[in-house]
Amino acid sequence: PALLGGGPHAIAKAAQNRCSSHVMEKVVTRLASSGKPGAETALLDFLEEFRPPCLMDSVRDARASHVLRRTVLALVGAKKEDPPRKAGLDIASSGWKLPRMVQGKPSSEVEAGVKLLVERLVDYGPKIHDVAYETQGSAVLQCLLRALSDLDPSATETIIETLLGSNYEHVGDLASDQTGSRLMEVVISIMNDETFAALYRGALRGFVHPMAQDAKSNYVLQRCLLRAGDCAHPLVLSLLDELEPHLGSLMDEGRAGVVLALCRACGKATSTNVAKRFAKALAKAM
């Protein structure tokens, strides 16, 4: 209690301190691995202290954000937090799904605690958009989205709408930003099929080729292509329509990941004609 208690202001101050933040992370990790009665309750009580008016400052702070993420990871049983991608052809070769973060079957209290934290962030409204472009804030949002999608996928829809905009007006800016694009990849990996189809119609249609050329948004497009393929989604044909004339230039521009992702998507389409069409287009381009 002396370290993990004291109210929101005391917690925020300690979590933002260069020294005490590291101690907090160690205590949280030790508590989670102890398996002792009351450890989970202590961690939940600590997580509950991250609330307004100090929550947003903690999310945006380089040290406090690590403490917050470590607490969430500890509660859901995750030992580490893998990034959405590493480099190069990582997405196209591994697929659109991210590894499951939640291990085992956490208690209903853990699920409620994570949901409450997400709801508090959603209550900040437009401010959450600024956080999505910041390294620390984006990392917290990615962690919470992945944890919440494992616990209760339906509960992610509200925060996804808040991040992308009711008319997907924020998608372009997020996808073309170094930090925002990684958050977009997580969002695409957890949204339901209906929302994914609406995302293409509302924000991506007509802009697929420019996305493929961009140094950041091409990773977002790769995850979209792979998701469309794995879902045997009719969007595959629409995506092929937009990229087919540009396969050669994409290869020349170093966007082999996009071409590979499209290849995988077309190979899983319900109609074999889609795969044949891609093969002919690629042969012609080469």
Side-chain angles (χ1 to χ4, degrees):
L3 185 62
L4 303 185
H9 291 281
I11 291 294
K13 183 178 179 180
Q16 293 173 28
N17 181 273
R18 182 171 62 89
C19 300
S20 58
S21 63
H22 291 291
V23 177
M24 281 180 152
E25 287 192 62
K26 291 294 184 182
V27 171
V28 166
T29 302
R30 180 70 179 271
L31 267 175
S33 61
S34 69
K36 293 183 177 180
E40 181 181 283
T41 301
L43 288 174
L44 285 170
D45 289 344
F46 178 55
L47 186 67
E48 206 277 333
E49 296 290 359
F50 287 94
R51 60 178 185 265
C54 306
L55 174 58
M56 190 58 73
D57 289 339
S58 296
V59 169
R60 306 176 95 157
D61 183 77
R63 300 183 181 94
S65 62
H66 276 277
V67 175
L68 180 54
R69 284 158 53 200
R70 172 49 53 193
T71 306
V72 173
L73 292 172
L75 283 167
V76 301
K79 293 183 179 180
K80 62 178 182 177
E81 183 181 4
D82 295 321
R85 56 177 152 86
K86 297 176 182 177
L89 300 177
D90 182 55
I91 299 175
S93 59
S94 61
W96 64 272
K97 289 184 178 180
L98 294 170
R100 183 177 172 83
M101 177 178 285
V102 175
Q103 304 300 310
K105 180 63 176 175
S107 67
S108 58
E109 288 79 9
V110 169
E111 181 176 332
V114 174
K115 284 182 178 179
L116 178 60
L117 187 58
V118 171
E119 289 170 2
R120 286 173 174 172
L121 286 173
V122 171
D123 287 341
Y124 276 97
K127 287 185 178 180
I128 202 172
H129 301 138
D130 297 332
V131 173
Y133 298 98
E134 299 172 3
T135 302
Q136 291 80 21
S138 177
V140 171
L141 290 172
Q142 291 174 47
C143 176
L144 287 172
L145 281 168
R146 291 179 64 180
L148 187 58
S149 69
D150 288 344
L151 294 167
D152 182 6
S154 63
T156 62
E157 294 306 306
T158 300
I159 189 170
I160 287 176
E161 181 178 343
T162 303
L163 287 169
L164 304 187
S166 57
N167 295 312
Y168 304 104
E169 60 268 23
H170 304 301
V171 170
D173 290 338
L174 284 169
S176 59
D177 181 77
Q178 178 70 38
T179 304
S181 64
R182 292 179 180 269
L183 178 60
M184 275 295 301
E185 289 178 49
V186 173
V187 169
I188 290 165
S189 73
I190 66 173
M191 61 175 43
N192 61 42
D193 288 347
E194 182 180 346
T195 305
F196 176 61
L199 171 67
Y200 172 75
R201 294 192 301 269
L204 307 184
R205 183 162 53 191
F207 299 98
V208 173
H209 180 228
M211 286 185 68
Q213 293 177 298
D214 186 76
K216 284 90 173 178
S217 61
N218 84 88
Y219 291 107
V220 177
L221 179 60
Q222 287 181 49
R223 210 167 286 277
C224 287
L225 288 165
L226 292 167
R227 169 141 199 190
D230 280 356
C231 295
H233 208 286
L235 288 183
V236 173
L237 190 57
S238 298
L239 291 163
L240 178 59
D241 286 340
E242 295 199 46
L243 290 175
E244 184 177 6
H246 309 289
L247 294 181
S249 62
L250 288 174
M251 295 288 285
D252 292 339
E253 294 164 7
R255 297 291 178 256
V258 174
V259 178
L260 178 57
L262 179 61
C263 175
R264 291 188 60 181
C266 291
K268 295 184 178 182
T270 51
S271 172
T272 57
N273 291 330
V274 177
K276 291 178 180 178
R277 177 179 157 186
F278 170 81
K280 289 180 180 179
L282 183 61
K284 182 179 178 181
M286 296 179 67

